[in-house]
Amino acid sequence: MKTITRILIHILCFVLLLSVSGTKVNASEEAVSRVFGEDEISWKDNNESLMNAEVIPNEAGWPEPASISIEPEKCVLAVGTVGYFDVTVLPAEADQRVTWSSSNEKVLTVASDGYTEAINVGKTVLSATTVNGLTATCDISVDFFDVDNIHQYFFEPVYWALENGITNGYGKPGYFCPGVSCTREQFVTFLWRMEGKPEPEEGCTFSDVPESAWYYKSISWAAEKGITTGLNDGTNRFGVGQACTREQCVTFLHRAADTPEPTGSIEFTDSKEGKYYYKAIKWAAGKGITVGLNDGTGRFGVGQKCSRGMLVTFLYRYAHAN
């Protein structure tokens, strides 16, 4: 993570005209070290009395800015990071005032003086614009606290899912929780979002899926498309709140793809022909959606709970499969 540093604007060898209680005064460089970008400044005089002054820009005496830059030009932040970015306007004697903006204020807010706060995970562009329209930018990514290592197998899938509106985290702001088990309704909802949130033609009739539930539309769509038929226990339940197993995940994906015949010769020791998930797992292996467990046993992991990290990885590979 890069640490945001405070803007240090260096004012060189010139005098500003100030108005204090209706009286015009000249203030030295030391008195107005933070004048640019401010409508009002404060300082102490020789008697340690606090003085306030309204800034009256002497624009005629300032050359126009020739360039502006922000350091760094790219950075990764964590939710909750606050502070200032370094900005340089040249020449140094030019009008140093800048206007700040963030392209996505749901991710990063910026005050008129450049003070920033990362408030949510996502991407934004921070811009600083001079009085004559020159602009410098910084590309900012606000990352999850628990997805911060490019070598994590789910790193790219998680941020792909974030950028495509499939997920925005879990629990506390700034966390994805990749190791937490995903539920059946979560998996179906992620798949539904990936497909563009299509409106179901009819509502589902599962006894545990009320119309007011956040997952009602996604489960209704999945049932309508034949992606799910609910639990096979005669209760007419979908299985809300139950952990989604690895074989259930790939079976949902296989059905979403219209149950194509599997290709390839990959077989797993714990996936037997005749099981409802056999073709789905073999198809997923042939498409590169799964490689099984990374433990040298040759198993797929039938019966194991699918974590949120696994969930988005399956979806990412499914979306990018040939």
Side-chain angles (χ1 to χ4, degrees), residues 121-134:
V121 175
K123 294 184 183 297
T124 188
V125 177
L126 178 68
S127 299
T129 303
T130 63
V131 291
N132 61 337
L134 302 178

Side-chain angles (χ1 to χ4, degrees), residues 179-213:
V180 172
S181 297
C182 76
T183 61
R184 287 168 55 86
E185 66 272 20
Q186 286 172 349
F187 189 93
V188 167
T189 300
F190 279 25
L191 177 59
W192 174 69
R193 290 172 181 166
M194 188 185 75
E195 296 292 348
K197 301 181 181 180
E199 285 289 327
E201 294 182 6
E202 296 181 1
C204 68
T205 59
F206 295 120
S207 60
D208 58 346
V209 183
E211 191 170 349
S212 59

